[in-house]
Amino acid sequence: MKKIMMIAAMMVAAVSANAQAYVGGGIGFQTTSQGDNTNTVIKIMPEIGYNLSENWAVGIALGYGHSKNTVSTNGVDVSVKTDVFSINPYARYTFVKFEKVNLFVDGGVGYTHTKAGDAKNNQFTIGLMPGVAVNLNEKLSFVAHVGFLGYKYDKDDYEGAKAANTFGLDLDGTNLSFGLYYNF
């Protein structure tokens, strides 16, 4: 057992010494008000990755989101709370490197579970997401993803629900995300 622990400690030290890992992600907060109706959304999306070589990296992004939508009708408030959990492992290929800017594409799979009141939904994805990393300095990078090319399977979780199968390219503003990475 001691040998296994020593080997594990040496592996962790070697990874740290080579400065191959990165951590980061994004956070979001939004509130919308229209008359007596309000909607508040909070998102937390941590990410961790490891650079395998100059051009290849692997990582995983986890996500949690919570929203509360309150609708007021005739003085009666009705609130619906929604929770979202996602997990997205990926492989990243950096195909262009400039002095401060890198262009990359993430290829991965993903799972998202949404629960709004008693309603539940499951979504599976496989595809490519292009992105850009702006290296602010040796340790910090600003990262943006835009769009998605791939396949999505979306199904509500109740008896008799029909699945939606989508394949295509989506480059609109709803598939835009930003994050900050710390490189070890």
Side-chain angles (χ1 to χ4, degrees):
M1 183 69 166
K2 287 182 185 180
K3 288 181 185 179
I4 293 172
M5 294 301 284
M6 287 297 289
I7 290 171
M10 288 173 36
M11 289 174 62
V12 169
V15 167
S16 299
N18 287 334
Q20 300 289 325
Y22 57 90
V23 295
I27 57 172
F29 174 79
Q30 172 183 321
T31 185
T32 305
S33 180
Q34 183 178 19
D36 292 335
N37 304 332
T38 60
N39 188 35
T40 304
V41 179
I42 298 169
K43 296 179 190 175
I44 301 170
M45 298 153 290
E47 186 173 334
I48 186 167
Y50 183 80
N51 294 309
L52 300 171
S53 69
E54 186 87 9
N55 295 82
W56 285 97
V58 293
I60 188 166
L62 302 172
Y64 174 74
H66 177 79
S67 68
K68 181 179 178 185
N69 190 15
T70 303
V71 178
S72 183
T73 306
N74 297 327
V76 177
D77 290 344
V78 176
S79 294
V80 175
K81 295 180 182 179
T82 303
D83 291 302
V84 178
F85 171 78
S86 64
I87 183 167
N88 301 295
Y90 62 86
R92 174 172 294 166
Y93 179 71
T94 302
F95 56 91
V96 175
K97 288 188 174 206
F98 298 109
E99 185 176 330
K100 295 278 185 185
V101 177
N102 299 336
L103 301 177
F104 63 86
V105 63
D106 286 352
V109 297
Y111 169 72
T112 302
H113 178 76
T114 305
K115 182 177 184 237
D118 292 333
K120 296 177 185 175
N121 177 274
N122 295 298
Q123 183 182 81
F124 297 92
T125 59
I126 184 167
L128 303 172
M129 290 180 60
V132 61
V134 178
N135 302 313
L136 303 174
N137 60 39
E138 189 177 305
K139 297 290 185 184
L140 286 177
S141 299
F142 175 77
V143 178
H145 289 89
V146 59
F148 177 79
L149 171 65
Y151 170 76
K152 293 181 184 178
Y153 172 89
D154 196 339
K155 185 175 181 189
D156 290 330
D157 192 6
Y158 65 87
E159 186 73 30
K162 302 245 187 238
N165 295 289
T166 306
F167 179 79
L169 173 65
D170 192 359
L171 291 175
D172 68 8
T174 60
N175 278 325
L176 182 63
S177 66
F178 300 101
L180 192 63
Y181 289 3
Y182 180 80
N183 304 293
F184 291 96

